[in-house]
Amino acid sequence: MEKMSEDYRRREVDLKRLYLCSQGKLWLLLLLTILGAVIGGVSYQVIKATRMPITYAAESKLYISFGVDESGEVYQYYNGYTWNDLLDTDPVLDRIMEYVPEGYSRKEVQEATTAEILSDIRLLTITVEGGTEKFVREIQSAVEEGLVDYARDSAELKRIDVIRTEDPVRVYWDDKTVTASVIGGVIFAVISCLIAAFLYLLDDAVYVQEDIEKKYSCKPLGILLKKQKGLQPYARELQADFSYILAEHKCFGLIDMDDHCIEGKEDLELVLNAVPGEFVGGDGEAGGLTWTLPKSEEEQAQDVWHAEAFDEGMLSEKELARIRELGGAVLLIPFGKDVSRRTSRVLTLLSNQDCPVFGMVISGADEDFVNRYYR
């Protein structure tokens, strides 16, 4: 007897089964997503508070009066790019450095200063950035005075006037808390889904009859619901399969893989020996059926199914010999619980002992799960 079929090892993912198995854990996925969002937002705030460099910036607005060329036309080829380049040239930088206090290098001044023309070519914006207010103030003042001085000796420029000087202000990062929270939530959600998918692939529990066929190559004899309500389709199918497959073996061995053999025996016998009865204590609209047994003793002796129950952990030579006398055994597989290894062990034992296995029954199945799967 094969312990586990090759088809099961190479099985494809049953998306509907995956959805139903994961449905009860959606709250956990949502919780982890929220947790990821919180962690992302808090982490960003911590990094922002501890790692954000201290930077100050100040702007100056300068008004440029252009000179005229030989033809009497005003020079208009100065733009933002030109001024940014001019600030790094020796003629301009030399003038600026004349007003820079001692201790600052030309490179520091170059890196701290940027120039741009936003719209009107006559309006120049100078931005100075640095690590301290003192540094920014001193460089800002030196750049303003140096440019004013440079314009006096330039043919293209008539003069430059400083029209506004702003005080240094602390520069902060843009607030990306929402973005960080969204990224954290998405990362946690994706990781959670991948973990759930991985755990699903490792899940060898039995949920539907197809799992038995693919995994153990045994006949699935039917489904016992956790809360049996009358002769439902699953109960009728279970009766039909036992009547056909076990035939004359009205007394058979029952091995419970969840070590609840007494409860499993009672539930199975109740379904197998049940016939439709009258409604109890109502107006007939409740939909439930009573469980009744044949009345005569002769009929009971002939038609009543009887299971001799064995826990899988208690099988010994005596129990196995009794199973052979009964003609074989039925295995009760718990719904949604991974008992694959012990089931494989028991199947090997039964095979070695020449004990036929009639098939397997799923016990304690969730009615909502089963109904939705087969819908």
Side-chain angles (χ1 to χ4, degrees), residues 55-218:
T55 304
Y56 292 88
E59 285 188 355
S60 297
K61 297 290 185 180
L62 289 79
Y63 187 83
I64 305 170
S65 298
F66 292 96
V68 294
D69 59 15
E70 295 80 359
S71 62
E73 295 293 329
V74 176
Y75 289 102
Q76 296 185 7
Y77 51 78
Y78 281 83
N79 54 39
Y81 296 104
T82 303
W83 279 109
N84 229 12
D85 290 337
L86 277 174
L87 288 179
D88 291 338
T89 60
D90 289 338
V92 177
L93 192 57
D94 288 343
R95 295 295 181 92
I96 294 174
M97 293 303 296
E98 292 177 6
Y99 299 96
V100 173
E102 293 184 6
Y104 298 131
S105 66
R106 295 170 68 92
K107 185 174 180 61
E108 286 179 303
V109 175
Q110 289 175 317
E111 292 177 348
T113 308
T114 56
E116 55 184 343
I117 299 290
L118 298 178
S119 56
D120 191 337
I121 61 172
R122 295 170 298 178
L123 190 61
L124 174 64
T125 301
I126 300 294
T127 303
V128 179
E129 291 188 358
T132 64
E133 289 186 66
K134 178 176 179 292
F135 172 83
V136 173
R137 287 182 187 278
E138 292 176 343
I139 301 301
Q140 180 188 30
S141 176
V143 171
E144 291 173 352
E145 295 184 43
L147 288 175
V148 170
D149 196 14
Y150 172 75
R152 295 194 187 101
D153 300 330
S154 173
E156 296 86 358
L157 303 173
K158 187 176 181 180
R159 68 190 223 182
I160 294 178
D161 297 311
V162 179
I163 60 177
R164 190 174 73 189
T165 299
E166 295 182 354
D167 293 328
V169 294
R170 175 78 183 272
V171 178
Y172 293 94
W173 288 347
D174 292 338
D175 191 355
K176 303 290 185 181
T177 304
V178 175
T179 302
S181 297
V182 171
I183 293 174
V186 170
I187 291 174
F188 267 62
V190 170
I191 293 176
S192 299
C193 289
L194 292 176
I195 293 175
F198 179 71
L199 293 177
Y200 172 81
L201 294 176
L202 296 180
D203 185 11
D204 285 331
V206 170
Y207 294 90
V208 292
Q209 296 182 90
E210 287 79 359
D211 295 338
I212 293 176
E213 290 180 311
K214 294 176 181 178
K215 180 164 185 162
Y216 300 110
S217 298
C218 288

Side-chain angles (χ1 to χ4, degrees), residues 263-282:
E263 294 86 344
K265 162 187 163 67
E266 293 174 351
D267 292 343
L268 183 59
E269 288 180 345
L270 186 64
V271 173
L272 293 178
N273 295 315
V275 294
E278 298 295 330
F279 289 97
V280 179

Side-chain angles (χ1 to χ4, degrees), residues 320-339:
L320 293 167
R322 178 56 182 162
I323 291 174
R324 284 194 296 270
E325 291 177 10
L326 295 171
V330 172
L331 271 62
L332 272 183
I333 307 297
F335 173 87
K337 185 175 181 179
D338 187 0
V339 293

